[in-house]
Amino acid sequence: MVGRGVLKVTSGELRLENVLQTGQAFRWILEEGIYTTTMRIIPGKYSIIALSQDLNTGCITFDTPNENIGIDTVQNHLRNYFRLEVDLHSIHQNQWLAKDQKFKMLEHKGIRILGQEPWETLVSFICSSNNNIGRISKMCHALAQNFGDYIGKFQERDYYSFPTSNQLAENATESTLRDLGFGYRAKYIIETAKKFVQAKQEVGVDNDTDFLQKIAKEKDYLEVREFLMGFCGVGPKVADCACLMGLKMDEVVPIDVHVGRIAKRDYSISASKKELQAIKSRYDQLPITKKKINLELDFIRLKFVELWGTHAGWAQGLLFFRETEKNSNSPKKRTKLDETTVISKKLKFEEEEKLIEVEVKAE
Ligand SMILES: Nc1nc2[nH]c(O)nc2c(=O)[nH]1
């Protein structure tokens, strides 16, 4: 191994198996206890990275097998990625449990919200519409393999970067993405990439991460969400996932059917007409939000933020994990990347996609 080091993690604060392949990140590959992917550890450059965790100590051994990046640089990168500055145990005890007795029965299990590349997060969650983790992963790998840069080989596998908005806008087409199995999401990705490139040009920023971080710095949450929802295929849920897992907006609570179900079943949250009307009028100055928002789900979002506080999005992460774990097969079964099926031709589920598309159009 060329560059090897250890990342110290306070015991229990991070469990790789509960964060890397459970619906936040989609390009980690797990084989024999080792997680590998490519990450932008050095600005402007992707590198292959391999991680393994000692479950007794919590410590993570990292390798950058093809290059020597420098231990401090990799450690800093991983601290940021895993958001190790956030004391999960303390937040669980002092913020969530203090206000919500349900967290007595809800251990945090080292489930943390990641600090991912915001452009990749946005595109990944566009892919997540009506989709499951295995298929989203296949799509994200397909984007990297077909439109990203070749980074190198590790243990007989080729690794690629996640494509920039420019790479997608210049080299991908709706038809190629449809051929790769993206279904109706093909159009969303192409339209979003093209508009994104234009938006970057207008402010003179070239890098996708820098651009979205600049937006996040200059605008408040509702404005960032409005901005993101201006892109094709981005509704409140996708925008909120990008805010939470890509832009480190810890208070943001993405709401989808799973979390909506939890809100009604476990928290008896339901809004009166008057309350819904009050939310609607909040968005008079935010026309895209007003058009795309589901008022009932937004009401739930606000209730959860009120209940859980500054790291409400992290609390949602625990509930989301428990809910989706309950409603799925074993994690290994649902997330393992099948080597032979990284998408380079039509996938079996194309027929199913067409059905979904018809349903969406009919809505
Ligand atoms: N923590 C969360 N992970 C997710 N994955 C996905 O598809 N949705 C979510 C979410 O709402 N929270």
Side-chain angles (χ1 to χ4, degrees), residues 22-24 26 113 125 128 237 241 245 254 256 259 316-317 320:
T22 53
Q24 287 192 65
F26 300 97
I113 295 296
F125 279 96
S128 77
K237 160 78 199 250
C241 284
M245 301 165 213
D256 62 4
V259 187
Q316 186 267 19
F320 184 88

Side-chain angles (χ1 to χ4, degrees), residues 31-43:
E31 262 166 0
E32 294 173 13
I34 298 177
Y35 294 87
T36 51
T37 193
T38 60
M39 299 181 109
R40 215 167 56 100
I41 301 172
I42 302 169

Side-chain angles (χ1 to χ4, degrees), residues 15 76 100 139 164 239 245 282:
R15 283 282 293 270
N76 277 337
D100 181 351
M139 289 179 180
T164 63
M245 301 165 213
R282 281 184 182 202

